[in-house]
Amino acid sequence: MGVLLLVNGGFMLMAALTSLIYADGVTLDITLASITTMVSGLLLFFGTRNHKKEVQRKEGYIIVTLGWIVMSLSGMLPYLFSGAIPGVTNAFFETISGYTTTGASIVDDIEALPEGILIWRSLTHWIGGMGIIVLAIAILPLLGIGGMQLFSAEAPGPSADKLHPRITDTAKRLWLIYVGYTAAETLLLSIAGMSFFDALNHALATLSTGGFSTKNLSVAYWNDSPLIQYIITFFMFLAGSNFVLSYFAFKGKVQKVFQDEEFRVYLAFVLAFTIVAAFFVYNRANVPVSEYHPMVLGEGESSFRHALFQVVAVITTTGFVTADFTSWTPFLTIFFFGLFFLGGSAGSTAGGIKVMRHLLIIKNGILEFKRTLHPNAIIPVRYKDKTVKQDIVYNIIGFFVLYMLLFIIGALVLGVLGLDFQSAIGGAASSLGNVGPALGSLNPVSNFNGLPDAGKWWCGFLMLAGRLELFTVLILLTPYFWKRT
């Protein structure tokens, strides 16, 4: 926790430097938040330096969950000290939405925020996104979370017998890829016509699949620039794919990318869903023409671009918007709501259930028909031409059931707090899947500011649970976890 706070405070200094460069008036406030955070980190670090540093499975659960909570509690200090987001509830919501890369916001006028605060919002995404990659590849497989053990053999690094060496080795490789992609997108967006500041913020939010924008209209602000939207779409797709595949591609093993079963299904989903959405968008059933901003390339291109952008944004749980997809047609509202539950690839910065889990659940379901006809036959589930252990299949099915149960409970709680049906189910699905935009009063052109305070805390809990793969958070709420063994 101490090290995390020191890192967090260091990133705050970067935001303070941005504030100083733009002379936005909050440099001192952000610097004070940084000092407070780093002093707290030093106290924790030196106060516990003589303790045993063995990390077993129980400690792993606690470290992961408390890590995100501590980061969120300290991360809201720049908002509070500067007065940019008054009130602990709103500041915490914005911060945990940032670190969990959800992108749901309570800010009504984003463009009125100082540059130092805007870059800090985007940095919370970027910090959380890198943390999620290391978490998914190096930590969760060791904790046996939701079938992530399948990932162990793929991650670039030593065998998964020790926690610390694996995290260190994995982080070194993936950090370079993550930084490289961010720099590349920043450069391309700047060339395409964005200001450097906007380009950097959107790159930070894209690679983390976060979704915080510097504009009130999100990426719809650049609806007159197809190139900008295609660049963001491309990097959203990359961020939603397994980062280990990027590692293999950079090592010259491009064939491994297209041989990867999950990647092929992920790509097929994006293409198929885009074709469906583009068809309905092009026909414009009940959709205002002004919403599309057709370019010189024609209405067909515009329809395809909006459909592709929104499909990729929702599947990867980035949450950027170019239009209010909930107003397109009733069919597309339900269609995109269904995509809230898909998620990107395992080992990506995307949230949601993940393509790998859906794939294995579908495979297991199909095999159940064969097992019914041949009850004595041993018919295992196979993934990437390898047999999947039955306990991993059970783990994934358990994850899916728990995910849907928490979604239902989440929607019921929001309903009790006064939200209508669409807003309640949309808010619960979006928060749990770390998507960002939702339905009803929480639609893509609105925000979460209208939620009651209890609703903001509840959505914050759903964001954390969904981001940390459910078991990591929920196991801490069970009595037997705390019993001595």
Side-chain angles (χ1 to χ4, degrees), residues 40 73 118 136 150 170 172 177 193 223 225 234 317 323 335 352 374 388 391 410 425 455 464 485:
S40 301
L73 289 173
L118 286 173
L150 284 170
T170 303
K172 285 177 183 176
I177 296 172
N223 271 349
S225 179
F234 174 73
T317 71
F335 175 83
H374 307 284
V388 179
D391 62 326
I425 63 169
L464 183 66
T485 53

Side-chain angles (χ1 to χ4, degrees), residues 1 17 26 91 121 159 194 275 293 314 370 375 403 422 433 448:
M1 300 302 108
L17 178 61
V26 295
R121 284 173 85 236
S159 59
M194 268 193 187
I275 291 170
H293 303 276
V314 173
K370 293 184 178 179
Y403 191 98
Q422 272 201 14
F448 283 61

Side-chain angles (χ1 to χ4, degrees), residues 8 11-12 14-15 68 71-79 85 91-104 116-132 178 201 204-205 207-213 467:
N8 219 22
F11 276 104
M12 285 181 198
M14 295 172 62
W68 252 263
M71 293 288 275
S72 297
L73 289 173
S74 62
M76 68 180 182
L77 295 181
Y79 299 135
I85 301 179
F92 183 78
F93 181 92
E94 195 78 8
T95 309
I96 199 166
S97 178
Y99 283 115
T100 59
T101 71
T102 303
I117 294 299
L118 286 173
I119 198 72
W120 175 242
R121 284 173 85 236
S122 301
L123 281 171
T124 58
H125 273 340
W126 201 72
I127 298 165
M130 185 65 248
I132 288 302
Y178 193 62
N201 276 275
L204 293 171
L207 268 303
S208 61
T209 65
F212 279 156
S213 176
R467 182 75 278 184

